[in-house]
Amino acid sequence: MVSSQTLPQFTSPHSFRAFRSDPPQWLPIALDIARSRGIDVASPHVFSTGTNLVVGFSDKLILKIFPPLLRAQFVSERGSLTQLKGRLPLPIPEIVAEGERDGWPYLVITRLTGTLGSEVWPQLPEAQKERVLRQIGETIAAVQRAPLGPLARIEPRWSEFMRAQMQGCKARHTRLGLAPKFLAGLDDLLRDAAMLIPMDAPPVILIGEYIPENFLLACSDDQCSLAGLFDFGDVRAGWRDYDLLGPSAFMAAGRPGRVRSLLEGFGYAKLEFALKRRLMALMLLHQASDLNSHICIEGWQDQANDLLELQELIWAE
């Protein structure tokens, strides 16, 4: 227990995660912060998933507290919510208050209504999955039409980020246990990537994780629609196709109708070879890339013999 109402300092993500997973250590401080902002703390709800300290109050507000070692996520979240306010066709949280406690920045944001996508997605009929993926494609495009504003200053810049990812790509996927038949094609793919992925094109806002855990759905009369988008802690600026990877890996599952819906919603009328090749490269270069954990196609390791066959499997026509 924390006897004095003080947030500790952490030097490693591991020690912070241990602290976050033990709410009695930090919830009293979160409640103290909430009270100081005039929030009714009668029935707090601790969110156990996620990266930061997150507490909900009634169905109206959420308090997110960021450790100093994740200050970049605070900057990203605050900048994104400010920049995207009023610019999207669906709700996102609004900032009610912000501040700092013991060097830990925090945000008080509005709580969205709807059902978490991950709770609904597996049970949705195929036609509804295609409908939602089209809306996700449209939402990605809408986010990317918004001006970058201060998000343009987020480091690292796209070209530096991509070059660093390319440098560490083979070592990363070897460590994560990617099958040798796929590792064998990495050098060729990275060579193509250097030409296929624009490094100096005008950057757009990239959320990085359009996945069911980060959006809300509203379902009525057998129709499901996107009802909200949240979690902007990993935003960066860069090439637009990067944000197609989350829904491609976690949701489209190599189903042609789903793939087509996502890409058409985004604005791609045709699924050309160069686009598939670029998406395959970006999937391997993504900040959170781990193909063994992230490709939601049952038995995909046995269905493809190399990366070329894998890209045809993931982005099937």
Side-chain angles (χ1 to χ4, degrees):
M1 292 286 290
V2 176
S3 52
S4 62
Q5 301 272 292
T6 306
L7 286 162
Q9 298 300 310
F10 294 104
T11 54
S12 79
H14 176 76
S15 55
F16 167 64
R17 283 195 296 269
F19 176 74
R20 180 176 61 80
S21 66
D22 188 13
Q25 288 201 73
W26 56 265
L27 184 57
I29 303 172
L31 297 179
D32 194 51
I33 292 171
R35 282 191 208 96
S36 76
R37 307 304 308 217
I39 297 170
D40 178 1
V41 299
S43 52
H45 170 73
V46 173
F47 290 88
S48 55
T49 57
T51 310
N52 300 286
L53 310 182
V54 185
V55 189
F57 298 99
S58 69
D59 57 354
K60 297 286 191 288
L61 297 173
I62 284 176
L63 170 64
K64 290 186 79 167
I65 311 172
F66 303 76
L69 55 84
L70 295 178
R71 179 175 285 272
Q73 291 205 354
F74 166 76
V75 171
S76 171
E77 182 108 17
R78 181 184 59 181
S80 303
L81 293 178
T82 303
Q83 200 61 18
L84 294 172
K85 183 179 180 180
R87 289 193 163 106
L88 299 184
L90 80 171
I92 60 171
E94 291 192 22
I95 298 173
V96 175
E98 65 177 271
E100 197 162 293
R101 176 75 170 262
D102 305 319
W104 294 50
Y106 65 81
L107 292 172
V108 178
I109 57 177
T110 55
R111 190 168 181 175
L112 304 177
T113 59
T115 305
L116 193 62
S118 53
E119 293 177 11
V120 182
W121 179 256
Q123 290 82 40
L124 286 185
E126 196 62 24
Q128 290 305 303
K129 286 182 174 174
E130 291 180 11
R131 172 185 165 86
V132 170
L133 276 163
R134 184 176 296 275
Q135 292 177 346
I136 288 173
E138 292 166 351
T139 301
I140 296 171
V143 167
Q144 295 184 355
R145 284 193 293 272
L148 272 172
L151 298 174
R153 296 194 292 274
I154 287 179
E155 297 287 349
R157 303 297 168 95
W158 176 250
S159 58
E160 297 163 27
F161 169 66
M162 270 292 108
R163 290 188 179 105
Q165 293 299 100
M166 286 178 184
Q167 259 185 329
C169 184
K170 195 158 194 174
R172 175 191 183 93
H173 290 290
T174 302
R175 176 173 51 81
L176 291 171
L178 189 62
K181 64 181 179 180
F182 299 122
L183 288 172
L186 259 185
D187 289 339
D188 288 343
L189 184 64
L190 291 173
R191 194 162 48 247
D192 289 353
M195 295 176 285
L196 287 168
I197 300 171
M199 296 293 183
D200 302 310
V204 297
I205 297 173
L206 300 175
I207 304 297
E209 292 189 315
Y210 287 90
I211 55 176
E213 288 78 8
N214 290 348
F215 61 75
L216 298 170
L217 292 175
C219 299
S220 62
D221 300 326
D222 298 326
Q223 283 272 76
C224 284
S225 298
L226 274 186
L229 187 67
F230 62 93
D231 195 352
F232 297 87
D234 292 315
V235 164
R236 69 172 69 254
W239 176 246
R240 59 197 303 256
D241 291 358
Y242 186 80
D243 266 352
L244 292 169
L245 305 177
S248 291
F250 287 95
M251 302 171 69
R255 304 285 187 94
R258 295 190 209 175
V259 172
R260 186 167 56 250
S261 296
L262 171 66
L263 294 177
E264 285 179 356
F266 182 67
Y268 280 136
K270 287 184 69 179
L271 188 51
E272 295 171 338
F273 177 83
L275 174 57
K276 293 183 191 181
R277 190 74 169 153
R278 182 163 66 239
L279 290 173
M280 188 73 251
L282 285 168
M283 186 171 279
L284 285 152
L285 294 168
H286 192 281
Q287 181 179 358
S289 182
D290 180 0
L291 269 57
N292 289 330
S293 299
H294 295 164
I295 296 178
C296 294
I297 302 173
E298 196 167 342
W300 63 267
Q301 291 97 332
D302 300 321
Q303 294 183 52
N305 292 310
D306 54 32
L307 290 176
L308 282 168
E309 289 186 10
L310 183 57
Q311 73 192 36
E312 296 300 323
L313 184 66
I314 298 172
W315 292 282
E317 296 182 72

